[in-house]
Amino acid sequence: MPSLFENAVASIRMGVEDYRQQDSDRDVSAVRNFYAGVLLLAKEALVRKAPDADPKDVIGTSYKPVPDGDGGIAYEAVGGKTIDFNTIAGRFKDFGMVIDHNALKDLNRIRNDMEHHFTEKTDAAVRTAIAKGFPVAASLFRQMEEDPAVLLGDIWSVMLETRELYEHELKDAKASLATVQWHSPTIAAATLKCFACESELLEQLDPENSAQEMVDFRCRSCLATPDIADIIEATIENAFAFDAYTCAKEGGEEGPVYQCPACERDTYVETEDSCANCNESLDYDAEWARCSNGISIQEYLDGNDSGLCGYCSYISDKVMRE
């Protein structure tokens, strides 16, 4: 017999599959399945919060006192009725857990209308009510430390296409990176993207980590785990693409991004005077010794910082030959 959790996942999958069809004939099934799946998932979350208790005691609604054998009393669930939409928010609060009860109100109302007669809501309103429930399901999975991308497969992608859930997931992904002390202000201000699917849902696995070098990325959309150096290099390239094009077109020069001699990544940013990847800074004289003209980063990286600029070297060689 399928478990409570398996039934919840199956119901959510069926509900979203019906939702995906964008067919009014499937809306009734979509509402019933998805709504039932979310309630089952919520009950599973409560049961997992008290793993040593009888599940009936956790999600039951009626209890009777019975002797506990030690002179006191205990309470046992009576009958098979379990918490419903009207009581689930209170049970979550009692257990110190979170559920967005308001996000399910429209869906609950539509579901009740459909069960008893019919709904006067438009097809768009019905689908909007379902979509508002997507973040609720995602939050319940996360609270149980279950990965919806693994459990729901392609159905998860359908859910992410809705604005409500995507924004919810994006907020959580960014929050996981909020403590990171980035070496580069460009990276700190940038929107990081996954290589595999180009999603912005990149999170770090340890949200308590603040060290850039220790960040382990994972995409909440496709589950890819890109290397942080690759992400930083691509982000820097994208951020300075126009500046690099302008430098090359107008002066035939390199910059403003160079290959870092320490980590060999194209992440040394001239305007920041350091490497966005490894935080290395270049230690060299900013001016030529003879003419006091500025030494470019590329000249230094090419090893041409011996004291004479190209023109001075040419004049010196010419004098020596004469």
Side-chain angles (χ1 to χ4, degrees):
M1 178 181 295
S3 67
L4 180 63
F5 184 65
E6 290 170 336
N7 280 335
V9 172
S11 294
I12 290 173
R13 285 183 59 86
M14 288 187 290
V16 178
E17 180 60 42
D18 289 328
Y19 168 88
R20 175 162 60 176
Q21 303 306 314
Q22 298 292 294
D23 183 346
S24 58
D25 290 338
R26 301 282 292 271
D27 285 348
V28 174
S29 178
V31 169
R32 287 173 175 166
N33 284 320
F34 183 75
Y35 180 81
V38 172
L39 289 189
L40 289 173
L41 197 63
K43 293 174 183 179
E44 174 69 14
L46 289 168
V47 169
R48 292 193 186 188
K49 189 69 173 180
D52 296 330
D54 187 330
K56 294 180 180 179
D57 294 337
V58 175
I59 59 178
T61 57
S62 299
Y63 302 91
K64 66 178 180 180
V66 295
D68 64 2
D70 293 320
I73 60 172
Y75 290 89
E76 292 183 353
V78 178
K81 188 177 181 180
T82 60
I83 51 177
D84 58 15
F85 175 80
N86 295 318
T87 55
I88 203 165
R91 191 65 54 90
F92 263 71
K93 183 178 180 180
D94 293 339
F95 275 54
M97 301 174 69
V98 178
I99 187 170
D100 189 351
H101 196 249
N102 288 330
L104 296 175
K105 281 186 176 179
D106 287 344
L107 187 60
N108 173 66
R109 190 177 298 111
I110 291 171
R111 180 257 184 189
N112 288 340
D113 288 345
M114 288 179 170
E115 290 295 325
H116 297 294
H117 41 91
F118 66 93
T119 180
E120 296 180 350
K121 298 292 185 181
T122 64
D123 293 346
V126 170
R127 294 181 189 123
T128 297
I130 297 172
K132 284 183 178 179
F134 289 173
V136 180
S139 174
L140 292 170
F141 278 121
R142 304 291 186 193
Q143 289 183 65
M144 291 186 285
E145 298 185 351
E146 296 283 358
D147 198 323
V150 173
L151 293 163
L152 300 177
D154 63 325
I155 292 299
W156 177 242
S157 298
V158 175
M159 294 171 69
L160 282 178
E161 290 174 0
T162 66
R163 184 176 182 84
E164 290 86 356
L165 179 56
Y166 189 86
E167 290 183 347
H168 183 274
E169 290 292 292
L170 182 61
K171 180 181 178 181
D172 285 350
K174 288 184 174 181
S176 75
L177 296 167
T179 60
V180 178
Q181 301 298 309
W182 301 106
H183 301 322
S184 164
T186 300
I187 296 297
T191 298
L192 308 181
K193 292 185 178 182
C194 171
F195 284 152
C197 66
E198 298 186 352
S199 168
E200 298 175 358
L201 302 183
L202 275 182
E203 66 177 351
Q204 72 161 329
L205 296 177
D206 179 10
E208 302 297 323
N209 170 59
S210 62
Q212 176 177 312
E213 295 80 4
M214 301 301 292
V215 171
D216 288 322
F217 279 123
R218 183 180 66 172
C219 177
R220 293 171 76 105
S221 177
C222 71
L223 301 182
T225 54
D227 181 72
I228 184 172
D230 291 336
I231 293 293
I232 290 175
E233 191 170 41
T235 303
I236 290 295
E237 178 184 7
N238 182 65
F240 290 96
F242 178 77
D243 301 88
Y245 171 77
T246 302
C247 286
K249 181 180 181 181
E250 296 183 355
E253 300 176 351
E254 300 283 344
V257 178
Y258 302 87
Q259 184 182 72
C260 174
C263 66
E264 299 184 343
R265 292 279 186 167
D266 292 331
T267 47
Y268 191 93
V269 182
E270 182 176 9
T271 54
E272 298 175 0
D273 197 27
S274 63
C275 175
N277 182 50
C278 69
N279 206 30
E280 182 75 9
S281 295
L282 300 182
D283 183 17
Y284 71 98
D285 292 329
E287 298 179 348
W288 297 108
R290 184 169 184 173
C291 63
S292 297
N293 288 330
I295 302 175
S296 71
I297 292 178
Q298 192 60 55
E299 286 173 319
Y300 170 76
L301 294 175
D302 290 341
N304 299 328
D305 63 333
S306 58
L308 297 177
C309 69
Y311 178 74
C312 289
S313 294
Y314 167 74
I315 296 298
S316 177
D317 292 342
K318 183 177 179 180
V319 170
M320 293 296 292
R321 287 195 299 271
E322 295 176 352

